[in-house]
Amino acid sequence: MRSIFLVILILTFLSVIPFNVVAADSDTSLEMLKRQIEQLQQQVLALEKAQQAQEIEKAKQASLAKQVTKVEEVEPPTMPEKPLNNTLSVYATMRPTFGYFDEDAETFWDVRDALSRAGIKATNEFMPGWTAELHGEWGIDLSNNGDFGTARKAYVAVGGPYGRVAVGKQRPPQYLLIAEYVDIFNHANSPFSYDAEGIFFVNNMVTYRLQTGGFSWLAASQFDGESGSNGADLVNLGLGYDQSGFHGAVTYLMQDSIDGNFTTGEDEVWAISLAQDFNNGLYLAAAYQDKSYQRDAISQDRSGHTLDVSTAYRISEQFRVKLGYFDFDDGRGALLSQRYDGYNTTLEWLPDDNLRFHLEYLAKDYDNLNDFDSWIIGFRYDFAKDWQF
């Protein structure tokens, strides 16, 4: 490369030498030519060094780019921030009603309450997949003084991959799997047949729940040392299946029958529930309980049942109609029986997600007691606030 540059420069130089220089003194011309050739060599050398420096710099830049690319390839991706795993919820619902009643052969107007309540719930994921939970809920009686304090729920639970265990006052499997699916009306006594002798909340209770796929396995037992037997006062087992709007469940309940501080026998209940929520806004549900009253006294055993059928249909975005039929039998003789059946119908207006207004007609036809019917206007305002931290 260096010789090529030298030859090119010499030829260029010779091409521009004037003719009179050739005719000059030969010694002087040769000396000048040598000096010029040396200068040309130095220029060629300087050009080569500059070119080498450029090539070295390019090589360094290419090597650095490869190193950066390699570091980016092996560097682990940025880890996301730790998800929020603590939650706190505060909620309340106020449900006053005003209506006209025909009860015990007497007619009157009255303001009542449809189970107003307030509560607090907190959860904490203390290990991956393990969550602790506390829940307290208290009723608010708007029908009298607006009294606050009747406990509905008060428990602590721990859940993980192997299920959830809770201790305290809580819903039993009998309600969660059977009654809840027909309990769709804005009334303190709904479901109207289950309500007669069914259980809604149980204190001093230990529960276990495991969900696998669409199946829910529930077990509960009450241990109240102040009353009943020295062991479990109640045992409630249930299996439910939920998939694509369908619900089906079966439960078994065994509960001590207590009169004062004395156990007078046991109540054994088998129950089944079915429900379907259709895509067109139609909802159908039914719940049946077969109850056996097993008493220690001779000839006092009896059997009865509860049946609740509930339907709902959304006729528009803001209006919904609900219908119900119920039948209750306590298995008693004619003079003592409180057997009844009946129906109710409800029209709801839902102007917002947390507001509901309804008009309801309810009728109960007793076999041996005075019939009952009522017209009710009801209001419902729900509030909830959640925090994550």
Side-chain angles (χ1 to χ4, degrees):
M1 180 67 69
R2 177 180 177 183
S3 59
I4 294 173
F5 275 107
L6 182 58
V7 171
I8 293 173
L9 289 174
I10 292 172
L11 292 174
T12 304
F13 175 77
L14 290 176
S15 65
V16 298
I17 296 175
F19 178 78
N20 58 353
V21 175
V22 178
D25 184 79
S26 60
D27 293 336
T28 303
S29 300
L30 290 174
E31 184 65 27
M32 290 178 61
L33 182 60
K34 287 180 180 180
R35 287 197 301 268
Q36 291 175 355
I37 290 174
E38 289 177 356
Q39 292 176 359
L40 291 174
Q41 289 176 340
Q42 291 176 1
Q43 292 178 2
V44 171
L45 182 60
L47 290 173
E48 288 181 348
K49 288 182 178 180
Q51 186 177 9
Q52 290 177 359
Q54 291 179 356
E55 292 178 352
I56 292 173
E57 183 65 23
K58 289 181 180 180
K60 288 182 178 180
Q61 293 295 335
S63 177
L64 181 61
K66 291 181 179 180
Q67 292 178 2
V68 171
T69 302
K70 186 176 181 181
V71 170
E72 290 177 350
E73 290 175 353
V74 300
E75 184 179 356
T78 303
M79 298 299 293
E81 295 182 1
K82 183 180 179 182
L84 300 173
N85 57 3
N86 296 332
T87 64
L88 175 64
S89 301
V90 177
Y91 62 91
T93 175
M94 303 296 269
R95 306 179 180 185
T97 63
F98 173 64
Y100 175 80
F101 299 87
D102 184 350
E103 185 176 10
D104 293 331
E106 181 183 359
T107 60
F108 56 92
W109 296 86
D110 197 9
V111 172
R112 296 187 175 182
D113 179 75
L115 301 178
S116 300
R117 51 191 180 266
I120 181 172
K121 184 177 181 180
T123 61
N124 176 30
E125 186 180 9
F126 58 91
M127 290 193 305
W130 290 88
T131 303
E133 172 189 335
L134 72 83
H135 195 176
E137 183 179 290
W138 297 268
I140 303 174
D141 186 6
L142 298 182
S143 62
N144 293 301
N145 300 320
D147 296 333
F148 179 86
T150 303
R152 291 164 54 91
K153 298 178 184 178
Y155 67 85
V156 173
V158 176
Y162 310 105
R164 174 182 177 274
V165 176
V167 180
K169 187 171 185 177
Q170 51 197 301
R171 295 279 198 188
Q174 199 73 5
Y175 179 85
L176 295 174
L177 294 177
I178 303 299
E180 184 173 29
Y181 292 85
V182 291
D183 189 9
I184 65 173
F185 300 101
N186 307 290
H187 201 290
N189 300 121
S190 171
F192 298 104
S193 178
Y194 178 93
D195 176 75
E197 292 184 351
I199 54 177
F200 291 86
F201 300 96
V202 179
N203 57 11
N204 301 84
M205 189 166 66
V206 179
T207 65
Y208 172 76
R209 182 176 66 197
L210 176 65
Q211 291 183 295
T212 56
F215 291 94
S216 299
W217 308 79
L218 282 75
S221 189
Q222 182 188 38
F223 301 91
D224 187 354
E226 298 298 324
S227 62
S229 63
N230 294 328
D233 303 317
L234 174 150
V235 175
N236 194 187
L237 308 175
L239 171 62
Y241 178 75
D242 295 88
Q243 187 70 37
S244 302
F246 170 80
H247 167 78
V250 60
T251 62
Y252 172 78
L253 171 67
M254 177 67 77
Q255 183 179 18
D256 286 346
S257 174
I258 301 173
D259 184 5
N261 292 325
F262 299 97
T263 300
T264 60
E266 293 178 331
D267 295 331
E268 185 179 43
V269 183
W270 286 94
I272 185 173
S273 66
L274 296 171
Q276 179 67 54
D277 193 358
F278 297 92
N279 294 329
N280 62 355
L282 177 64
Y283 176 78
L284 300 175
Y288 179 82
Q289 295 184 118
D290 182 80
K291 187 169 185 177
S292 175
Y293 304 80
Q294 303 171 3
R295 298 294 178 262
D296 297 338
I298 300 175
S299 300
Q300 289 192 3
D301 291 354
R302 52 193 171 92
S303 61
H305 69 263
T306 71
L307 171 65
D308 289 279
V309 179
S310 301
T311 67
Y313 182 70
R314 186 177 289 273
I315 56 181
S316 70
E317 185 66 24
Q318 294 188 348
F319 289 93
R320 182 167 53 195
V321 62
K322 297 179 178 179
L323 301 172
Y325 171 78
F326 47 88
D327 181 85
F328 170 72
D329 185 3
D330 57 7
R332 295 181 182 273
L335 297 179
L336 300 176
S337 175
Q338 298 185 11
R339 187 181 190 282
Y340 63 83
D341 63 357
Y343 66 93
N344 68 298
T345 179
T346 302
L347 176 64
E348 291 182 342
W349 175 40
L350 302 91
D352 204 350
D353 292 339
N354 64 334
L355 293 176
R356 183 183 304 179
F357 304 91
H358 74 272
L359 173 64
E360 178 190 76
Y361 175 72
L362 170 65
K364 288 184 179 181
D365 182 13
Y366 287 89
D367 285 2
N368 301 294
L369 301 174
N370 293 319
D371 294 340
F372 169 91
D373 66 340
S374 64
W375 286 93
I376 293 175
I377 297 175
F379 308 88
R380 173 173 167 174
Y381 189 134
D382 299 333
F383 167 81
K385 180 65 176 177
D386 299 326
W387 293 271
Q388 288 186 315
F389 54 95

